[in-house]
Amino acid sequence: GIERVGVPAAWDGLQLSRDGNHQTALKQFEAAIREDANFALAYSALAQTYSTLGYDAQATQQSRRAIGMSESLPPQERYVIAATHYRITNDNAKGIDTYEKLLKVSPNNARIQFELAELYEGTGDLAGAQEHFAKAVALDPKHVEGLTAVGRIAIRRGDPKASFQPLNNALSLSIQ
């Protein structure tokens, strides 16, 4: 995915986004696009960040731009861009299908696990959400949003005791 590219701003943006610092991540993705105007994955990451911040029109616009640029990319990168697009446009069924394909080629990617889990949660499939949030946290134990999600799903599934450790870990990491 985007981690392998040579545009430092894109890498910085991803790390900021993982840390929940979406406003600063937005600036980094914009800088990456200024550096490489044909960087489809950066447009996709920018779209996701806009979506996270609630800027739906900008998110859809940038996501469509990424889709248009993705035709010549390797399958994994096309899947990432398509999966992000389906999340932004709330097409959960196509999003889940695309993320499942993506996991076949990239099973150890915490971000992909997390985003698939969000889609499962959005469809009410709490078991699927729990499975993939847990995998995301196993792959990235300092994923604050992932830890919070594991706790939230435990509560929603009627097991509040199981939420204590992940929520406490998330709190500790947030304070640090």
Side-chain angles (χ1 to χ4, degrees):
I2 202 168
E3 286 92 0
R4 293 179 279 118
V5 301
V7 181
W11 172 247
D12 293 344
L14 279 179
Q15 193 56 54
L16 288 160
S17 186
R18 282 187 194 112
D19 293 342
N21 193 342
H22 302 293
Q23 287 288 352
T24 309
L26 195 68
K27 292 182 176 93
Q28 291 300 317
F29 294 132
E30 289 169 344
I33 289 165
R34 281 194 300 275
E35 196 171 325
D36 180 355
N38 296 312
F39 190 3
L41 283 167
Y43 281 101
S44 182
L46 177 65
Q48 178 58 58
T49 305
Y50 274 134
S51 180
T52 299
L53 292 170
Y55 303 127
D56 296 337
Q58 295 94 322
T60 301
Q61 178 186 13
Q62 299 304 336
S63 184
R64 283 193 183 122
R65 185 173 286 172
I67 291 278
M69 295 176 165
S70 72
E71 291 171 11
S72 63
L73 294 177
Q76 182 176 353
E77 293 179 14
R78 278 199 321 270
Y79 286 147
V80 168
I81 290 168
T84 299
H85 181 72
Y86 293 134
R87 284 182 72 223
I88 287 169
T89 58
N90 296 313
D91 190 336
N92 290 339
K94 283 185 182 175
I96 287 170
D97 182 56
T98 305
Y99 273 106
E100 292 287 2
K101 288 176 186 169
L102 187 53
L103 280 179
K104 286 187 173 89
V105 294
S106 198
N108 296 322
N109 185 312
R111 182 168 174 241
I112 293 167
Q113 293 284 357
F114 178 82
E115 291 172 359
L116 175 57
E118 286 184 315
L119 287 177
Y120 276 122
E121 184 179 10
T123 64
D125 181 348
L126 298 182
Q130 181 181 35
E131 174 190 348
H132 292 285
F133 281 135
K135 286 179 181 176
V137 170
L139 292 165
D140 181 2
K142 294 185 177 183
H143 192 302
V144 172
E145 290 178 321
L147 288 163
T148 303
V150 169
R152 179 179 65 245
I153 295 299
I155 291 167
R156 289 188 66 195
R157 293 190 80 194
D159 189 4
K161 285 182 183 170
S163 73
F164 293 152
Q165 185 176 353
L167 292 175
N168 282 329
N169 290 351
L171 181 61
S172 296
L173 288 168
S174 294
I175 292 169
Q176 292 170 15

